[in-house]
Coordinates of all heavy atoms in Angstrom, one line a residue:
T14 N -72.0 19.4 -32.6 CA -72.1 18.5 -31.4 C -72.8 19.1 -30.3 O -72.8 20.3 -30.0 CB -70.6 18.2 -30.9 OG1 -69.8 17.6 -31.9 CG2 -70.6 17.3 -29.7
G15 N -73.6 18.3 -29.7 CA -74.5 18.8 -28.6 C -75.3 17.7 -28.0 O -75.1 16.5 -28.3
K16 N -76.3 18.1 -27.2 CA -77.2 17.2 -26.5 C -78.7 17.2 -27.1 O -79.1 18.3 -27.4 CB -77.3 17.6 -25.0 CG -78.1 16.7 -24.2 CD -78.1 17.2 -22.7 CE -79.0 16.3 -21.9 NZ -78.9 16.8 -20.4
I17 N -79.2 16.1 -27.3 CA -80.6 16.0 -27.8 C -81.6 16.5 -26.7 O -81.6 15.9 -25.7 CB -80.9 14.6 -28.4 CG1 -80.0 14.2 -29.4 CG2 -82.4 14.6 -28.8 CD1 -80.1 15.1 -30.7
I18 N -82.3 17.5 -26.9 CA -83.2 18.0 -25.9 C -84.7 17.8 -26.3 O -85.5 17.9 -25.4 CB -83.0 19.6 -25.7 CG1 -83.2 20.4 -26.8 CG2 -81.6 19.8 -25.1 CD1 -83.3 21.9 -26.6
A19 N -84.9 17.4 -27.6 CA -86.4 17.1 -27.9 C -86.3 16.1 -29.1 O -85.6 16.2 -30.0 CB -87.1 18.3 -28.4
V20 N -87.2 15.1 -29.0 CA -87.4 14.1 -30.0 C -88.9 14.4 -30.5 O -89.9 14.1 -29.7 CB -87.3 12.7 -29.6 CG1 -87.6 11.7 -30.7 CG2 -85.8 12.4 -29.0
L21 N -89.1 14.9 -31.7 CA -90.4 15.2 -32.2 C -91.1 13.9 -32.8 O -90.4 13.0 -33.2 CB -90.3 16.4 -33.2 CG -89.7 17.6 -32.7 CD1 -89.5 18.6 -33.8 CD2 -90.4 18.1 -31.5
P22 N -92.4 14.0 -32.9 CA -93.1 12.8 -33.4 C -92.7 12.6 -35.0 O -92.4 13.5 -35.7 CB -94.6 13.2 -33.4 CG -94.6 14.3 -32.4 CD -93.3 15.0 -32.4
A23 N -92.7 11.2 -35.2 CA -92.3 10.9 -36.7 C -93.4 11.3 -37.6 O -94.6 11.2 -37.3 CB -92.0 9.4 -36.8
N24 N -93.0 11.7 -38.8 CA -94.0 12.0 -39.9 C -93.9 10.8 -40.9 O -92.8 10.4 -41.2 CB -93.7 13.2 -40.6 CG -93.8 14.5 -39.6 OD1 -94.7 14.5 -38.9 ND2 -92.9 15.4 -39.6
S25 N -95.0 10.4 -41.5 CA -95.0 9.4 -42.6 C -96.1 9.7 -43.6 O -97.0 10.5 -43.3 CB -95.1 8.0 -42.0 OG -96.4 7.9 -41.3
G26 N -95.8 9.1 -44.7 CA -96.9 9.2 -45.8 C -96.5 8.4 -47.0 O -95.6 7.5 -46.9
V27 N -97.3 8.6 -48.1 CA -97.0 7.9 -49.3 C -96.7 8.9 -50.4 O -97.4 10.0 -50.6 CB -98.2 7.0 -49.7 CG1 -98.0 6.4 -51.0 CG2 -98.5 6.1 -48.6
S28 N -95.6 8.7 -51.2 CA -95.2 9.7 -52.1 C -96.2 9.7 -53.3 O -96.7 8.6 -53.8 CB -93.8 9.2 -52.7 OG -93.5 9.9 -53.9
A29 N -96.7 10.9 -53.6 CA -97.7 11.0 -54.7 C -97.0 10.7 -56.0 O -97.7 10.3 -57.0 CB -98.2 12.4 -54.7
R30 N -95.8 10.9 -56.2 CA -95.1 10.6 -57.5 C -94.8 9.2 -57.7 O -95.0 8.6 -58.8 CB -93.8 11.5 -57.5 CG -93.0 11.5 -58.8 CD -91.9 12.4 -58.8 NE -91.0 12.3 -57.8 CZ -89.8 11.7 -57.9 NH1 -89.4 11.3 -59.1 NH2 -89.0 11.5 -56.9
T31 N -94.2 8.5 -56.6 CA -93.9 7.1 -56.8 C -94.8 6.1 -56.2 O -94.7 4.9 -56.5 CB -92.4 6.9 -56.3 OG1 -92.5 7.1 -54.8 CG2 -91.4 7.8 -56.9
G32 N -95.6 6.6 -55.3 CA -96.5 5.6 -54.5 C -95.8 4.9 -53.4 O -96.4 4.0 -52.8
N33 N -94.5 5.2 -53.1 CA -93.8 4.5 -52.1 C -94.0 5.2 -50.7 O -94.1 6.3 -50.7 CB -92.2 4.5 -52.4 CG -91.9 3.7 -53.6 OD1 -92.6 2.7 -53.9 ND2 -90.9 4.1 -54.3
P34 N -94.0 4.4 -49.6 CA -94.2 5.0 -48.3 C -92.8 5.7 -47.9 O -91.8 5.3 -48.3 CB -94.4 3.8 -47.4 CG -93.9 2.6 -48.0 CD -94.0 3.0 -49.6
W35 N -93.0 6.8 -47.1 CA -91.8 7.5 -46.6 C -92.0 7.8 -45.1 O -93.1 7.8 -44.6 CB -91.5 8.7 -47.3 CG -92.6 9.7 -47.4 CD1 -93.6 9.9 -48.3 CD2 -92.9 10.7 -46.3 NE1 -94.5 10.8 -47.8 CE2 -94.1 11.4 -46.7 CE3 -92.3 11.1 -45.2 CZ2 -94.6 12.4 -46.0 CZ3 -92.8 12.2 -44.4 CH2 -93.9 12.8 -44.8
M36 N -90.9 8.1 -44.4 CA -90.9 8.4 -43.0 C -89.8 9.3 -42.7 O -88.7 9.2 -43.2 CB -90.8 7.1 -42.1 CG -90.9 7.4 -40.6 SD -90.7 6.0 -39.7 CE -92.4 5.7 -39.2
S37 N -90.0 10.4 -41.8 CA -89.0 11.3 -41.4 C -89.3 11.6 -39.9 O -90.4 11.5 -39.4 CB -88.9 12.5 -42.2 OG -90.0 13.3 -42.0
Q38 N -88.2 12.0 -39.1 CA -88.4 12.4 -37.8 C -87.4 13.5 -37.5 O -86.3 13.6 -38.0 CB -88.1 11.3 -36.9 CG -88.4 11.6 -35.4 CD -88.5 10.2 -34.6 OE1 -88.2 9.2 -35.0 NE2 -89.1 10.5 -33.3
E39 N -87.9 14.5 -36.7 CA -87.1 15.7 -36.4 C -86.7 15.6 -34.9 O -87.4 15.1 -34.0 CB -87.8 17.0 -36.6 CG -88.1 17.1 -38.1 CD -88.8 18.4 -38.4 OE1 -89.7 18.9 -37.6 OE2 -88.6 19.0 -39.5
Y40 N -85.5 16.2 -34.7 CA -84.8 16.1 -33.3 C -84.3 17.6 -33.1 O -83.9 18.3 -34.0 CB -83.7 15.2 -33.2 CG -84.1 13.8 -33.6 CD1 -84.0 13.4 -34.9 CD2 -84.5 12.9 -32.6 CE1 -84.4 12.1 -35.4 CE2 -84.9 11.6 -33.1 CZ -84.8 11.2 -34.3 OH -85.1 9.9 -34.7
V41 N -84.2 18.0 -31.9 CA -83.7 19.4 -31.4 C -82.4 19.0 -30.7 O -82.4 18.3 -29.7 CB -84.7 20.2 -30.7 CG1 -84.0 21.6 -30.3 CG2 -85.9 20.4 -31.5
L42 N -81.3 19.6 -31.1 CA -80.0 19.5 -30.5 C -79.6 20.9 -30.0 O -79.8 21.9 -30.6 CB -79.0 19.0 -31.6 CG -77.6 18.9 -31.1 CD1 -77.0 17.6 -31.7 CD2 -76.6 20.0 -31.6
E43 N -79.0 20.9 -28.7 CA -78.5 22.1 -28.1 C -77.0 22.0 -27.9 O -76.5 21.0 -27.4 CB -79.2 22.3 -26.7 CG -78.8 23.6 -26.1 CD -79.6 23.9 -24.8 OE1 -79.6 23.0 -24.0 OE2 -80.0 25.0 -24.6
T44 N -76.2 23.0 -28.4 CA -74.8 23.0 -28.3 C -74.3 23.4 -26.9 O -75.2 23.8 -26.1 CB -74.2 24.0 -29.3 OG1 -74.6 25.3 -28.9 CG2 -74.6 23.8 -30.7
H45 N -73.1 23.2 -26.7 CA -72.5 23.5 -25.3 C -71.6 24.7 -25.4 O -70.7 24.9 -24.6 CB -71.7 22.3 -24.8 CG -72.4 21.0 -24.7 ND1 -73.5 20.9 -23.8 CD2 -72.4 19.9 -25.4 CE1 -74.0 19.7 -23.9 NE2 -73.3 19.0 -24.8
D46 N -71.9 25.6 -26.3 CA -71.1 26.8 -26.4 C -71.4 27.8 -25.2 O -72.3 27.5 -24.4 CB -71.5 27.6 -27.7 CG -71.2 26.8 -28.9 OD1 -70.2 25.9 -28.8 OD2 -71.8 26.9 -29.9
Q47 N -70.6 28.9 -25.1 CA -70.9 29.9 -24.1 C -72.3 30.3 -24.1 O -72.9 30.5 -23.1 CB -69.9 31.0 -24.2 CG -70.1 32.0 -23.1 CD -69.2 33.2 -23.3 OE1 -68.3 33.3 -24.2 NE2 -69.3 34.2 -22.4
Y48 N -72.8 30.6 -25.3 CA -74.2 30.9 -25.5 C -74.8 29.8 -26.3 O -74.7 29.8 -27.6 CB -74.2 32.3 -26.3 CG -73.6 33.4 -25.6 CD1 -72.4 33.9 -26.0 CD2 -74.2 33.9 -24.5 CE1 -71.8 34.9 -25.3 CE2 -73.6 35.0 -23.7 CZ -72.4 35.4 -24.2 OH -71.8 36.5 -23.5
P49 N -75.4 28.8 -25.6 CA -76.0 27.6 -26.4 C -76.9 27.9 -27.5 O -77.7 28.8 -27.3 CB -76.6 26.8 -25.3 CG -75.9 27.3 -24.0 CD -75.7 28.8 -24.2
R50 N -76.8 27.2 -28.6 CA -77.7 27.4 -29.6 C -78.5 26.1 -29.8 O -78.0 25.0 -29.6 CB -77.0 27.7 -30.9 CG -76.2 29.0 -30.8 CD -75.6 29.4 -32.2 NE -74.9 30.7 -32.1 CZ -75.3 31.8 -32.3 NH1 -76.7 32.0 -32.6 NH2 -74.7 32.9 -32.2
K51 N -79.7 26.2 -30.4 CA -80.5 25.0 -30.7 C -80.7 24.9 -32.2 O -80.7 25.9 -32.9 CB -81.9 25.2 -30.0 CG -81.8 25.2 -28.5 CD -83.2 25.5 -27.9 CE -83.1 25.6 -26.4 NZ -82.7 26.8 -25.9
M52 N -80.7 23.6 -32.7 CA -80.9 23.3 -34.1 C -81.8 22.2 -34.2 O -81.7 21.1 -33.5 CB -79.5 22.9 -34.7 CG -79.7 22.6 -36.1 SD -78.1 22.0 -36.8 CE -78.1 20.3 -36.4
C53 N -82.8 22.3 -35.1 CA -83.8 21.2 -35.4 C -83.3 20.6 -36.7 O -83.1 21.3 -37.7 CB -85.2 21.9 -35.5 SG -86.4 20.5 -35.9
F54 N -83.1 19.3 -36.7 CA -82.6 18.6 -37.8 C -83.5 17.4 -38.1 O -84.2 16.9 -37.2 CB -81.2 18.2 -37.8 CG -80.9 17.1 -36.7 CD1 -80.9 15.8 -37.1 CD2 -80.6 17.5 -35.4 CE1 -80.6 14.8 -36.1 CE2 -80.3 16.6 -34.4 CZ -80.3 15.2 -34.8
R55 N -83.5 17.0 -39.3 CA -84.4 15.9 -39.8 C -83.6 14.7 -40.2 O -82.6 14.8 -40.8 CB -85.2 16.4 -41.0 CG -86.1 15.2 -41.6 CD -86.9 15.8 -42.7 NE -87.9 16.7 -42.2 CZ -88.3 17.7 -42.9 NH1 -88.0 18.0 -44.1 NH2 -89.2 18.5 -42.3
V56 N -84.1 13.5 -39.9 CA -83.5 12.3 -40.3 C -84.7 11.7 -41.3 O -85.8 11.5 -40.8 CB -83.2 11.2 -39.3 CG1 -82.8 9.9 -39.8 CG2 -82.1 11.9 -38.3
F57 N -84.3 11.5 -42.5 CA -85.3 11.0 -43.5 C -85.1 9.5 -43.8 O -83.9 9.0 -44.0 CB -85.2 11.8 -44.8 CG -86.3 11.4 -45.8 CD1 -87.6 12.1 -45.7 CD2 -86.1 10.6 -46.8 CE1 -88.6 11.8 -46.5 CE2 -87.1 10.3 -47.7 CZ -88.4 10.9 -47.5
G58 N -86.1 8.7 -43.8 CA -86.0 7.3 -44.0 C -86.2 6.4 -42.8 O -85.4 6.6 -41.8
E59 N -87.1 5.5 -42.8 CA -87.4 4.6 -41.7 C -86.1 3.8 -41.3 O -85.7 3.7 -40.1 CB -88.5 3.7 -42.0 CG -88.9 2.8 -40.8 CD -90.1 1.9 -41.1 OE1 -90.7 2.0 -42.3 OE2 -90.6 1.3 -40.1
D60 N -85.3 3.4 -42.3 CA -84.1 2.6 -42.0 C -83.1 3.5 -41.3 O -82.5 3.0 -40.4 CB -83.5 2.1 -43.3 CG -83.2 3.1 -44.3 OD1 -83.9 4.2 -44.3 OD2 -82.3 2.8 -45.2
R61 N -82.9 4.7 -41.7 CA -81.9 5.6 -41.0 C -82.4 5.9 -39.6 O -81.6 6.0 -38.6 CB -81.7 6.9 -41.7 CG -80.7 6.7 -42.9 CD -80.2 8.0 -43.4 NE -79.2 7.7 -44.4 CZ -78.9 8.6 -45.3 NH1 -79.5 9.9 -45.2 NH2 -78.0 8.4 -46.2
I62 N -83.7 6.2 -39.4 CA -84.3 6.5 -38.1 C -84.0 5.3 -37.1 O -83.5 5.6 -36.0 CB -85.8 6.7 -38.2 CG1 -86.1 8.0 -39.0 CG2 -86.4 6.8 -36.8 CD1 -87.5 8.3 -39.3
K63 N -84.2 4.1 -37.6 CA -83.9 3.0 -36.8 C -82.4 2.7 -36.5 O -81.9 2.4 -35.4 CB -84.5 1.7 -37.3 CG -86.0 1.6 -37.3 CD -86.7 0.4 -37.9 CE -88.1 0.4 -37.8 NZ -88.7 -0.7 -38.5
Q64 N -81.6 3.0 -37.6 CA -80.1 2.8 -37.5 C -79.5 3.8 -36.5 O -78.7 3.4 -35.7 CB -79.5 3.1 -38.9 CG -78.0 3.1 -38.9 CD -77.4 3.5 -40.2 OE1 -78.1 3.8 -41.2 NE2 -76.1 3.6 -40.2
F65 N -80.0 5.1 -36.6 CA -79.4 6.1 -35.7 C -79.9 6.0 -34.2 O -79.2 6.2 -33.3 CB -79.7 7.5 -36.2 CG -79.0 7.8 -37.5 CD1 -79.5 8.9 -38.3 CD2 -77.9 7.2 -38.0 CE1 -79.0 9.2 -39.5 CE2 -77.4 7.4 -39.2 CZ -77.8 8.5 -40.0

Side-chain angles (χ1 to χ4, degrees):
T14 301
K16 181 179 181 177
I17 299 297
I18 61 170
V20 178
L21 304 177
N24 297 316
S25 61
V27 177
S28 171
R30 188 172 54 106
T31 63
N33 295 331
W35 59 268
M36 179 181 258
S37 72
Q38 189 162 9
E39 293 180 331
Y40 306 88
V41 180
L42 179 135
E43 183 175 48
T44 65
H45 299 294
D46 299 330
Q47 180 180 0
Y48 301 105
R50 298 189 181 268
K51 296 177 181 80
M52 177 185 81
C53 182
F54 66 93
R55 173 181 295 150
V56 175
F57 188 83
E59 185 175 5
D60 56 336
R61 282 197 176 160
I62 294 169
K63 288 180 181 177
Q64 175 190 357
F65 295 159

